[in-house]
Amino acid sequence: MGAGGRMNDVNTDKDVLKRVPTEKTPFEISDLKKAIPPHCFKRSLATSSYYLFRDIAICYTFYYLASNYIPLLPTPLGYLAWPIYWFCQGTSFMGIWSIGHDLGHHAFSEYQWLDDALGFFLHSSFLTPYFSFKYSHRSHHAHTNSMEYDEVWIPKRKADTFYSEVLNNPLGNLFMTVVRLLLSFPMYFTFNIHGRPYNGFASHFYPQSPIFNDSERKQIWLSDAGMLVAFYALYKIAAATSATWLFCIYGAPLLVMNAHFIFFTFLHHSHPSLAHYDSREWDWIRGALSTEDRDYGIFNTIFHDVTCAHVVHHLISTIPHYHTVEATKAIKPILGDYYKYDDTPILKAFWRETKECIFVEPDEGAEKSGIYWFRR
């Protein structure tokens, strides 16, 4: 089992679907911070660098094996070996990308300039606009599960009949699964798919986008410059090798990485037991607790526990990933029923949430409560 599995007893189906309380919490964020051992807040440059270079070494090993040995395999075995490489390398990419995400939270070292420089390089390498994502993701953490102000995975309402009626069937669920996993990552950054509605063109690549404030716009240009350099480097590599070689070595694994990202972020923020709130009822701590931890087995380690220690990450995002499991254990007794863990096998959970989390509405008779639950 992964780290998440070690932290929790096995739950029944009834347990995992039990709603998290929506009453104001009897504890404050200060109570949670006091319960966490002080060393969990320490950002060690040496330890963080170890995980980064370990991941880069794994990534290079996959690249070396694929580029040097798969072309030597007879054709039938090559057709089998390439998809295996794509999955393994895409999973490796996701581990490095996750460290870039921590860099954006200033959870890597004590040096903000170093975190931003490394994060900019890593995320640009995976065609992610670093500063653009850093700022929108910060807003997501500040407004989690707010119907009006959250930045991503904004749930649909029943009135949106394309989702509540047209796609609310097995074929529609399958269609949405394919679209999500293949297209949602680039479409979110380009066209704000799954993002909150804005007046004006909302894009992570547009410096004048309403996603950003005036103090952030210069760094959006820098993010775009990083993307252009990355695309130019890929063009030169394709010219020196071939577009087919580039797709096999880099493009296909990048698609796998994108699918991983969409897969686990969808599961972080889609669950029948978790509420969304409008401005009448939302507050920061209940919003931050409206996410859940899951056990991905070995992928917990590969993805640096962002999968199995996501709740504490939303509460205190500067805790380094190598301390988040310990911090989770420390705050669970305080959180009580406000802590959500679901040990449903992840593929089963993904399909269940795809079917059950179609739109949100208040409970019948509580239309003015400001509290919304997933429906189908």
Side-chain angles (χ1 to χ4, degrees), residues 298-318:
I298 191 174
F299 293 97
N300 292 335
T301 299
I302 297 170
F303 298 156
H304 303 293
D305 296 322
V306 70
T307 45
C308 65
H310 192 68
V311 174
V312 75
H313 171 68
H314 261 271
L315 292 165
I316 311 168
S317 60
T318 55

PDB file of all heavy atoms in Angstrom, residues 298-318:
ATOM      1  N   ILE A 298       1.680   2.702  -5.167  1.00  0.00           N
ATOM      2  CA  ILE A 298       3.030   3.165  -5.457  1.00  0.00           C
ATOM      3  C   ILE A 298       3.051   4.566  -6.059  1.00  0.00           C
ATOM      4  O   ILE A 298       4.037   5.309  -5.937  1.00  0.00           O
ATOM      5  CB  ILE A 298       3.750   2.164  -6.395  1.00  0.00           C
ATOM      6  CG1 ILE A 298       5.243   2.493  -6.477  1.00  0.00           C
ATOM      7  CG2 ILE A 298       3.101   2.154  -7.776  1.00  0.00           C
ATOM      8  CD1 ILE A 298       6.051   1.475  -7.267  1.00  0.00           C
ATOM      9  N   PHE A 299       1.937   4.966  -6.682  1.00  0.00           N
ATOM     10  CA  PHE A 299       1.891   6.292  -7.294  1.00  0.00           C
ATOM     11  C   PHE A 299       1.913   7.404  -6.243  1.00  0.00           C
ATOM     12  O   PHE A 299       2.263   8.535  -6.552  1.00  0.00           O
ATOM     13  CB  PHE A 299       0.662   6.433  -8.193  1.00  0.00           C
ATOM     14  CG  PHE A 299       0.711   5.557  -9.405  1.00  0.00           C
ATOM     15  CD1 PHE A 299       0.056   4.329  -9.412  1.00  0.00           C
ATOM     16  CD2 PHE A 299       1.430   5.923 -10.533  1.00  0.00           C
ATOM     17  CE1 PHE A 299       0.110   3.507 -10.523  1.00  0.00           C
ATOM     18  CE2 PHE A 299       1.488   5.111 -11.648  1.00  0.00           C
ATOM     19  CZ  PHE A 299       0.833   3.890 -11.641  1.00  0.00           C
ATOM     20  N   ASN A 300       1.539   7.082  -5.007  1.00  0.00           N
ATOM     21  CA  ASN A 300       1.696   8.084  -3.944  1.00  0.00           C
ATOM     22  C   ASN A 300       3.148   8.558  -3.871  1.00  0.00           C
ATOM     23  O   ASN A 300       3.432   9.750  -3.797  1.00  0.00           O
ATOM     24  CB  ASN A 300       1.288   7.505  -2.585  1.00  0.00           C
ATOM     25  CG  ASN A 300      -0.190   7.225  -2.468  1.00  0.00           C
ATOM     26  OD1 ASN A 300      -1.009   7.822  -3.153  1.00  0.00           O
ATOM     27  ND2 ASN A 300      -0.545   6.296  -1.597  1.00  0.00           N
ATOM     28  N   THR A 301       4.058   7.593  -3.885  1.00  0.00           N
ATOM     29  CA  THR A 301       5.485   7.921  -3.791  1.00  0.00           C
ATOM     30  C   THR A 301       5.961   8.649  -5.044  1.00  0.00           C
ATOM     31  O   THR A 301       6.678   9.652  -4.962  1.00  0.00           O
ATOM     32  CB  THR A 301       6.298   6.634  -3.585  1.00  0.00           C
ATOM     33  OG1 THR A 301       5.885   6.003  -2.369  1.00  0.00           O
ATOM     34  CG2 THR A 301       7.790   6.948  -3.512  1.00  0.00           C
ATOM     35  N   ILE A 302       5.554   8.163  -6.211  1.00  0.00           N
ATOM     36  CA  ILE A 302       5.998   8.773  -7.470  1.00  0.00           C
ATOM     37  C   ILE A 302       5.511  10.211  -7.578  1.00  0.00           C
ATOM     38  O   ILE A 302       6.237  11.097  -8.042  1.00  0.00           O
ATOM     39  CB  ILE A 302       5.510   7.940  -8.670  1.00  0.00           C
ATOM     40  CG1 ILE A 302       6.126   6.531  -8.622  1.00  0.00           C
ATOM     41  CG2 ILE A 302       5.871   8.625  -9.988  1.00  0.00           C
ATOM     42  CD1 ILE A 302       5.514   5.561  -9.622  1.00  0.00           C
ATOM     43  N   PHE A 303       4.271  10.461  -7.126  1.00  0.00           N
ATOM     44  CA  PHE A 303       3.682  11.793  -7.214  1.00  0.00           C
ATOM     45  C   PHE A 303       3.914  12.617  -5.952  1.00  0.00           C
ATOM     46  O   PHE A 303       3.268  13.640  -5.731  1.00  0.00           O
ATOM     47  CB  PHE A 303       2.182  11.693  -7.498  1.00  0.00           C
ATOM     48  CG  PHE A 303       1.837  11.026  -8.802  1.00  0.00           C
ATOM     49  CD1 PHE A 303       0.608  10.422  -8.979  1.00  0.00           C
ATOM     50  CD2 PHE A 303       2.745  10.991  -9.860  1.00  0.00           C
ATOM     51  CE1 PHE A 303       0.271   9.804 -10.188  1.00  0.00           C
ATOM     52  CE2 PHE A 303       2.429  10.373 -11.061  1.00  0.00           C
ATOM     53  CZ  PHE A 303       1.193   9.776 -11.222  1.00  0.00           C
ATOM     54  N   HIS A 304       4.820  12.151  -5.102  1.00  0.00           N
ATOM     55  CA  HIS A 304       5.244  12.894  -3.910  1.00  0.00           C
ATOM     56  C   HIS A 304       4.089  13.190  -2.962  1.00  0.00           C
ATOM     57  O   HIS A 304       3.995  14.281  -2.379  1.00  0.00           O
ATOM     58  CB  HIS A 304       5.982  14.176  -4.319  1.00  0.00           C
ATOM     59  CG  HIS A 304       7.159  13.909  -5.199  1.00  0.00           C
ATOM     60  ND1 HIS A 304       8.286  13.252  -4.752  1.00  0.00           N
ATOM     61  CD2 HIS A 304       7.381  14.167  -6.521  1.00  0.00           C
ATOM     62  CE1 HIS A 304       9.152  13.121  -5.739  1.00  0.00           C
ATOM     63  NE2 HIS A 304       8.621  13.666  -6.830  1.00  0.00           N
ATOM     64  N   ASP A 305       3.213  12.198  -2.802  1.00  0.00           N
ATOM     65  CA  ASP A 305       2.138  12.217  -1.804  1.00  0.00           C
ATOM     66  C   ASP A 305       1.107  13.313  -2.005  1.00  0.00           C
ATOM     67  O   ASP A 305       0.277  13.549  -1.125  1.00  0.00           O
ATOM     68  CB  ASP A 305       2.722  12.305  -0.381  1.00  0.00           C
ATOM     69  CG  ASP A 305       3.547  11.085  -0.014  1.00  0.00           C
ATOM     70  OD1 ASP A 305       3.150   9.970  -0.399  1.00  0.00           O
ATOM     71  OD2 ASP A 305       4.600  11.236   0.628  1.00  0.00           O
ATOM     72  N   VAL A 306       1.114  13.963  -3.160  1.00  0.00           N
ATOM     73  CA  VAL A 306       0.055  14.940  -3.424  1.00  0.00           C
ATOM     74  C   VAL A 306      -1.291  14.234  -3.542  1.00  0.00           C
ATOM     75  O   VAL A 306      -2.347  14.858  -3.357  1.00  0.00           O
ATOM     76  CB  VAL A 306       0.356  15.744  -4.704  1.00  0.00           C
ATOM     77  CG1 VAL A 306       0.231  14.878  -5.950  1.00  0.00           C
ATOM     78  CG2 VAL A 306      -0.533  16.971  -4.811  1.00  0.00           C
ATOM     79  N   THR A 307      -1.276  12.937  -3.791  1.00  0.00           N
ATOM     80  CA  THR A 307      -2.500  12.154  -3.924  1.00  0.00           C
ATOM     81  C   THR A 307      -3.078  11.741  -2.578  1.00  0.00           C
ATOM     82  O   THR A 307      -4.293  11.765  -2.381  1.00  0.00           O
ATOM     83  CB  THR A 307      -2.203  10.894  -4.747  1.00  0.00           C
ATOM     84  OG1 THR A 307      -0.978  10.304  -4.262  1.00  0.00           O
ATOM     85  CG2 THR A 307      -2.027  11.234  -6.220  1.00  0.00           C
ATOM     86  N   CYS A 308      -2.219  11.358  -1.636  1.00  0.00           N
ATOM     87  CA  CYS A 308      -2.693  10.804  -0.363  1.00  0.00           C
ATOM     88  C   CYS A 308      -2.595  11.802   0.786  1.00  0.00           C
ATOM     89  O   CYS A 308      -2.986  11.483   1.911  1.00  0.00           O
ATOM     90  CB  CYS A 308      -1.916   9.534  -0.008  1.00  0.00           C
ATOM     91  SG  CYS A 308      -0.158   9.805   0.321  1.00  0.00           S
ATOM     92  N   ALA A 309      -2.081  12.996   0.547  1.00  0.00           N
ATOM     93  CA  ALA A 309      -1.989  14.020   1.593  1.00  0.00           C
ATOM     94  C   ALA A 309      -2.411  15.373   1.033  1.00  0.00           C
ATOM     95  O   ALA A 309      -1.765  16.396   1.267  1.00  0.00           O
ATOM     96  CB  ALA A 309      -0.570  14.079   2.158  1.00  0.00           C
ATOM     97  N   HIS A 310      -3.514  15.353   0.281  1.00  0.00           N
ATOM     98  CA  HIS A 310      -3.968  16.568  -0.388  1.00  0.00           C
ATOM     99  C   HIS A 310      -4.700  17.510   0.556  1.00  0.00           C
ATOM    100  O   HIS A 310      -4.664  18.731   0.381  1.00  0.00           O
ATOM    101  CB  HIS A 310      -4.877  16.197  -1.557  1.00  0.00           C
ATOM    102  CG  HIS A 310      -5.170  17.327  -2.480  1.00  0.00           C
ATOM    103  ND1 HIS A 310      -4.206  17.895  -3.273  1.00  0.00           N
ATOM    104  CD2 HIS A 310      -6.308  18.023  -2.742  1.00  0.00           C
ATOM    105  CE1 HIS A 310      -4.729  18.877  -3.981  1.00  0.00           C
ATOM    106  NE2 HIS A 310      -6.009  18.976  -3.682  1.00  0.00           N
ATOM    107  N   VAL A 311      -5.374  16.957   1.554  1.00  0.00           N
ATOM    108  CA  VAL A 311      -6.122  17.805   2.489  1.00  0.00           C
ATOM    109  C   VAL A 311      -5.178  18.742   3.231  1.00  0.00           C
ATOM    110  O   VAL A 311      -5.400  19.958   3.279  1.00  0.00           O
ATOM    111  CB  VAL A 311      -6.931  16.939   3.474  1.00  0.00           C
ATOM    112  CG1 VAL A 311      -7.582  17.819   4.544  1.00  0.00           C
ATOM    113  CG2 VAL A 311      -7.997  16.141   2.739  1.00  0.00           C
ATOM    114  N   VAL A 312      -4.114  18.203   3.794  1.00  0.00           N
ATOM    115  CA  VAL A 312      -3.183  19.062   4.533  1.00  0.00           C
ATOM    116  C   VAL A 312      -2.497  20.048   3.592  1.00  0.00           C
ATOM    117  O   VAL A 312      -2.174  21.177   3.984  1.00  0.00           O
ATOM    118  CB  VAL A 312      -2.153  18.216   5.308  1.00  0.00           C
ATOM    119  CG1 VAL A 312      -1.091  17.611   4.390  1.00  0.00           C
ATOM    120  CG2 VAL A 312      -1.488  19.039   6.407  1.00  0.00           C
ATOM    121  N   HIS A 313      -2.300  19.651   2.345  1.00  0.00           N
ATOM    122  CA  HIS A 313      -1.719  20.571   1.371  1.00  0.00           C
ATOM    123  C   HIS A 313      -2.625  21.779   1.151  1.00  0.00           C
ATOM    124  O   HIS A 313      -2.139  22.909   0.999  1.00  0.00           O
ATOM    125  CB  HIS A 313      -1.468  19.846   0.047  1.00  0.00           C
ATOM    126  CG  HIS A 313      -1.070  20.749  -1.069  1.00  0.00           C
ATOM    127  ND1 HIS A 313       0.138  21.414  -1.090  1.00  0.00           N
ATOM    128  CD2 HIS A 313      -1.725  21.133  -2.208  1.00  0.00           C
ATOM    129  CE1 HIS A 313       0.213  22.158  -2.183  1.00  0.00           C
ATOM    130  NE2 HIS A 313      -0.909  22.002  -2.876  1.00  0.00           N
ATOM    131  N   HIS A 314      -3.925  21.568   1.151  1.00  0.00           N
ATOM    132  CA  HIS A 314      -4.838  22.700   0.987  1.00  0.00           C
ATOM    133  C   HIS A 314      -4.888  23.567   2.239  1.00  0.00           C
ATOM    134  O   HIS A 314      -5.183  24.761   2.145  1.00  0.00           O
ATOM    135  CB  HIS A 314      -6.235  22.212   0.622  1.00  0.00           C
ATOM    136  CG  HIS A 314      -6.507  22.292  -0.844  1.00  0.00           C
ATOM    137  ND1 HIS A 314      -7.035  23.398  -1.449  1.00  0.00           N
ATOM    138  CD2 HIS A 314      -6.284  21.399  -1.843  1.00  0.00           C
ATOM    139  CE1 HIS A 314      -7.143  23.190  -2.749  1.00  0.00           C
ATOM    140  NE2 HIS A 314      -6.681  21.982  -3.016  1.00  0.00           N
ATOM    141  N   LEU A 315      -4.605  22.980   3.373  1.00  0.00           N
ATOM    142  CA  LEU A 315      -4.616  23.757   4.613  1.00  0.00           C
ATOM    143  C   LEU A 315      -3.332  24.553   4.795  1.00  0.00           C
ATOM    144  O   LEU A 315      -3.372  25.715   5.206  1.00  0.00           O
ATOM    145  CB  LEU A 315      -4.836  22.821   5.807  1.00  0.00           C
ATOM    146  CG  LEU A 315      -6.222  22.166   5.880  1.00  0.00           C
ATOM    147  CD1 LEU A 315      -6.200  20.999   6.856  1.00  0.00           C
ATOM    148  CD2 LEU A 315      -7.272  23.195   6.283  1.00  0.00           C
ATOM    149  N   ILE A 316      -2.194  23.939   4.502  1.00  0.00           N
ATOM    150  CA  ILE A 316      -0.887  24.596   4.677  1.00  0.00           C
ATOM    151  C   ILE A 316      -0.019  24.187   3.492  1.00  0.00           C
ATOM    152  O   ILE A 316       0.683  23.172   3.530  1.00  0.00           O
ATOM    153  CB  ILE A 316      -0.214  24.194   6.004  1.00  0.00           C
ATOM    154  CG1 ILE A 316      -1.189  24.331   7.172  1.00  0.00           C
ATOM    155  CG2 ILE A 316       1.033  25.063   6.245  1.00  0.00           C
ATOM    156  CD1 ILE A 316      -0.714  23.683   8.460  1.00  0.00           C
ATOM    157  N   SER A 317      -0.045  24.977   2.444  1.00  0.00           N
ATOM    158  CA  SER A 317       0.559  24.570   1.179  1.00  0.00           C
ATOM    159  C   SER A 317       2.074  24.704   1.151  1.00  0.00           C
ATOM    160  O   SER A 317       2.710  24.246   0.200  1.00  0.00           O
ATOM    161  CB  SER A 317      -0.046  25.375   0.025  1.00  0.00           C
ATOM    162  OG  SER A 317       0.182  26.758   0.207  1.00  0.00           O
ATOM    163  N   THR A 318       2.681  25.315   2.164  1.00  0.00           N
ATOM    164  CA  THR A 318       4.144  25.462   2.184  1.00  0.00           C
ATOM    165  C   THR A 318       4.845  24.298   2.872  1.00  0.00           C
ATOM    166  O   THR A 318       6.080  24.285   2.948  1.00  0.00           O
ATOM    167  CB  THR A 318       4.550  26.779   2.866  1.00  0.00           C
ATOM    168  OG1 THR A 318       3.958  26.830   4.174  1.00  0.00           O
ATOM    169  CG2 THR A 318       4.093  27.986   2.052  1.00  0.00           C
TER     170      THR A 318
END
